[in-house]
Amino acid sequence: MIERTLILVKPDGVQRGLVGEIVSRFEKRGLKLVGMKMIWIDKDFSKKHYAAHLDKKMYPMLEEFITSAPVVAIVIEGIHAVESVRKVVGSTEPKSAPLGTIRGDYAHVSYDYADKKQISIKNLVHASGNKEEAEQEISLWFGVDELYTYEASHDKHVI
Ligand code: GDP
Ligand code: MG
């Protein structure tokens, strides 16, 4: 039941100075950080990360966006972490993401607007969509020696 999942603070989150705000939302929920680094990915890496979207019309926009500035990659651990993190992040389109979620609180752009401008929707974070995706993405972004097992107060007070 204890899972690990991948989060990226995307270029818009890094450039807007929202890394701290975003990370603190996960920390406050009692989720444990087990890996974190800043990285500026290239087009080849984008193709690996977004392999499932490669054939879609939106892929070139996604690639342009995700390679436009550095991202902060984070691995988070917790009970049902994949689902729990997606809940904190909110739904894909900021316009319809509920208030109280990262995408709902810090962005408001709509699909309509992004599609018309031919840009990827700027929604601040990526979070793995399911357990299989989480495992694949964690092994793509992190080496085993970059992930840590340690005791946090969470082990006593949260889980
Ligand atoms: P996520 O798992 O919630 O991030 O959403 P997806 O995996 O479906 O899509 C990956 C990313 O592509 C999203 O986070 C958006 O940045 C972007 N995106 C998804 N759907 C659309 C769309 O219909 N239009 C545009 N412009 N961007 C999109
Ligand atoms: Mg996705």
Side-chain angles (χ1 to χ4, degrees), residues 2-131:
I2 307 249
E3 298 168 358
R4 286 181 169 185
T5 189
L6 181 88
I7 293 161
L8 303 175
V9 181
K10 292 180 177 179
D12 54 336
V14 172
Q15 291 181 303
R16 288 176 59 192
L18 289 172
V19 175
E21 288 285 337
I22 289 168
V23 172
S24 86
R25 295 226 168 181
F26 300 111
E27 290 183 309
K28 286 181 201 155
R29 195 149 200 244
L31 292 154
K32 193 196 277 189
L33 306 182
V34 296
M36 182 151 96
K37 62 184 174 186
M38 180 177 266
I39 168 168
W40 193 329
I41 66 164
D42 61 17
K43 292 177 177 191
D44 285 346
F45 197 92
S46 168
K47 288 183 179 74
K48 289 182 189 156
H49 175 69
Y50 281 129
H53 295 309
L54 262 185
D55 298 334
K56 297 186 185 159
K57 216 173 64 188
M58 71 174 183
Y59 179 75
M61 303 187 265
L62 259 180
E63 184 180 272
E64 162 106 37
F65 176 47
I66 204 72
T67 60
S68 65
V71 303
V72 173
I74 305 158
V75 176
I76 278 200
E77 186 179 277
I79 302 162
H80 299 296
V82 175
E83 186 188 340
S84 189
V85 160
R86 289 287 290 201
K87 202 167 163 190
V88 174
V89 167
S91 43
T92 307
E93 185 194 36
K95 173 178 173 279
S96 48
L99 296 180
T101 67
I102 294 168
R103 287 166 169 172
D105 284 351
Y106 298 113
H108 68 278
V109 73
S110 68
Y111 283 132
D112 279 359
Y113 180 84
D115 289 346
K116 196 164 276 177
K117 279 196 79 181
Q118 292 277 291
I119 55 173
S120 182
I121 213 154
K122 292 175 190 168
N123 53 10
L124 299 155
V125 269
H126 165 83
S128 307
N130 56 53
K131 278 197 264 185

